[in-house]
Amino acid sequence: MTKKRILTGDRPTGKLHLGHYVGSLKNRVALQHDYDTFLIIADVQALTTNWENPGQLGADVMEVAKDYLSVGIDPEVTTIFVQSMVPAIAELTIFYSMFVPVNVLRHNPTIKTEAAQKGYSDMTYGFLGYPVSQAADITFCKAHLVPVGKDQVPHLELTRRIARRFNELYGQVLVEPDAMVEHLLAGLDGNTKMSKSLDNAIYLADTVDEVNRKVRTDVTDPARIHKDDAGHPEVCTVFTYHSEFNQDFKPELETSCRKGEIGCVECKKRLAERINGLLDPMRDRRAYYDEHPELVRQILLSGTDRARAVGELTLAEVKSAMKIDYFAAEEVSVK
Ligand code: TRP
């Protein structure tokens, strides 16, 4: 039986953090043997907000690839590829854009939020339209399942709508994918989301010392001033992290925190040890890939080759369904 396909990925805008690990990377590693997984490094999408500084993209693409490999994504089973190197994605984007109404894009809540955050009074065509390009990212390989954060759900709805509309207009070619919504990890400052822009993140590439220092700054229950004050785990970020990374210790911690038996310093120390224990094997794998950048490039090239081949097949079907394959036979021989 052929496996169902997953497509998901990230914009290369810097290093990935523990929020990415808990919300998505861990899940991708767990699913990679049961699904034919495609991971997109969405460099074109990164340009939609970063078009003035393309110089950094190459290095960021490599960083994301190393993050994937360091958490245990296995390039033997998972196809990691670079968006800009799969021309079918750009071509599909153009075809889909013919029937996507501009108002649907204008009303996309994620686009609105991001535009407000970036202070865009006059959005570019590429930014407004990136959800159409994301639909091409997903449909070029006929993915069935798309694990994403909650903020991406409107984009998934658009992808489903595009697939459905395409199939109605031209015939059954595309797959309507399902979303699989991932959970968020809180930031060190207690914000509901760990994020680079909020500067409240522990990065997968952080050293032991950086993790120790960051965990020490992690916000706790403000009512606990002295070590033996009664604590309120439900308002404490450190407790949230223990629940995520140190499940076995959670019940005991909850009781001793409420009774004021364990101090925050001790509690944080145990958390930092636990996080460092999780990151250590990742650090080892990253060190290996840092020493072998050629290998990372090879992994990206061969993943991209596979994605390109899959994209050409879908594109040929799309063109044939749209009856714009006038020279299909000759095109093959010209190549
Ligand atoms: N928009 C996603 C993000 O910002 C990244 C992304 C690009 C993506 N193309 C995708 C995610 C396709 C899932 C499927 O995180």
Side-chain angles (χ1 to χ4, degrees):
M1 202 187 76
T2 54
K3 289 178 182 169
K4 289 208 166 187
R5 222 165 241 179
I6 281 183
L7 180 127
T8 186
D10 298 275
R11 295 180 186 192
T13 55
K15 297 176 291 184
L16 300 183
H17 51 63
L18 270 183
H20 293 112
Y21 179 72
V22 166
S24 58
L25 299 171
K26 191 175 161 190
N27 191 33
R28 295 178 196 173
V29 172
L31 295 175
Q32 65 182 339
H33 295 284
D34 297 330
Y35 288 83
D36 182 16
T37 301
F38 281 68
L39 292 185
I40 185 168
I41 304 185
D43 57 339
V44 180
Q45 195 177 103
L47 282 174
T48 63
T49 56
N50 210 16
W51 65 88
E52 287 162 316
N53 299 304
Q56 180 62 25
L57 266 183
D60 284 345
V61 165
M62 287 292 281
E63 275 317 305
V64 172
K66 279 190 276 181
D67 277 325
Y68 288 172
L69 296 167
S70 73
V71 297
I73 294 292
D74 177 357
E76 296 288 323
V77 296
T78 295
T79 303
I80 309 175
F81 70 98
V82 180
Q83 184 188 27
S84 64
M85 289 159 71
V86 179
I89 293 177
E91 293 186 53
L92 292 173
T93 305
I94 299 279
F95 294 138
Y96 300 163
S97 71
M98 302 305 157
F99 58 84
V100 177
V102 172
N103 274 337
V104 169
L105 298 170
R106 284 218 181 97
H107 292 140
N108 180 305
T110 300
I111 289 284
K112 282 196 205 168
T113 311
E114 286 174 353
Q117 276 167 357
K118 299 269 176 195
Y120 294 158
S121 51
D122 193 13
M123 272 180 249
T124 65
Y125 173 54
F127 178 79
L128 178 69
Y130 91 71
V132 182
S133 161
Q134 189 157 328
D137 298 343
I138 295 166
T139 53
F140 91 96
C141 66
K142 301 189 180 179
H144 303 96
L145 192 62
V146 186
V148 276
K150 201 165 143 227
D151 59 331
Q152 300 292 304
V153 170
H155 302 341
L156 247 291
E157 277 163 15
L158 180 72
T159 301
R160 292 171 59 82
R161 185 171 165 157
I162 287 176
R164 216 176 309 134
R165 189 75 187 121
F166 183 97
N167 292 343
E168 275 165 16
L169 283 167
Y170 309 116
Q172 195 68 35
V173 174
L174 302 177
V175 171
E176 250 186 80
D178 288 319
M180 179 179 196
V181 182
E182 300 158 342
H183 78 283
L184 289 177
L185 182 67
L188 289 164
D189 56 357
N191 192 293
T192 49
K193 188 177 176 182
M194 183 174 278
S195 105
K196 182 185 166 198
S197 53
L198 297 171
D199 194 21
N200 63 7
I202 293 177
Y203 293 96
L204 302 177
D206 279 351
T207 61
V208 173
D209 287 346
E210 278 165 335
V211 169
N212 290 341
R213 184 182 56 76
K214 286 182 180 178
V215 171
R216 275 200 299 273
T217 69
D218 195 356
V219 299
T220 52
D221 172 7
R224 284 197 86 184
I225 295 161
H226 305 292
K227 181 175 173 286
D228 48 7
D229 289 339
H232 305 87
E234 64 280 2
V235 298
C236 178
T237 322
V238 181
F239 184 73
T240 313
Y241 290 156
H242 275 291
S243 322
E244 188 72 51
F245 301 111
N246 204 2
Q247 288 264 338
D248 296 347
F249 179 51
K250 185 184 167 189
E252 180 194 331
L253 172 63
E254 179 155 17
T255 317
S256 51
C257 174
R258 283 195 199 287
K259 288 188 185 157
E261 285 170 2
I262 180 172
C264 296
V265 173
E266 169 67 15
C267 179
K268 285 178 170 179
K269 199 169 145 253
R270 294 189 63 159
L271 176 65
E273 276 166 13
R274 191 69 186 201
I275 293 177
N276 279 321
L278 172 73
L279 296 185
D280 274 340
M282 299 182 196
R283 291 176 178 127
D284 292 346
R285 278 193 288 259
R286 182 185 304 273
Y288 176 77
Y289 288 110
D290 276 339
E291 279 167 27
H292 300 90
E294 247 336 286
L295 185 56
V296 182
R297 292 176 66 84
Q298 266 315 314
I299 288 168
L300 288 179
L301 283 175
S302 73
T304 303
D305 264 352
R306 175 165 186 234
R308 214 180 301 177
V310 169
E312 274 179 28
L313 289 178
T314 305
L315 190 65
E317 284 180 71
V318 159
K319 284 186 165 180
S320 149
M322 293 178 78
K323 312 226 181 307
I324 51 170
D325 58 342
Y326 332 109
F327 290 97
E330 290 87 337
E331 256 180 70
V332 173
S333 64
V334 166
K335 270 187 199 156

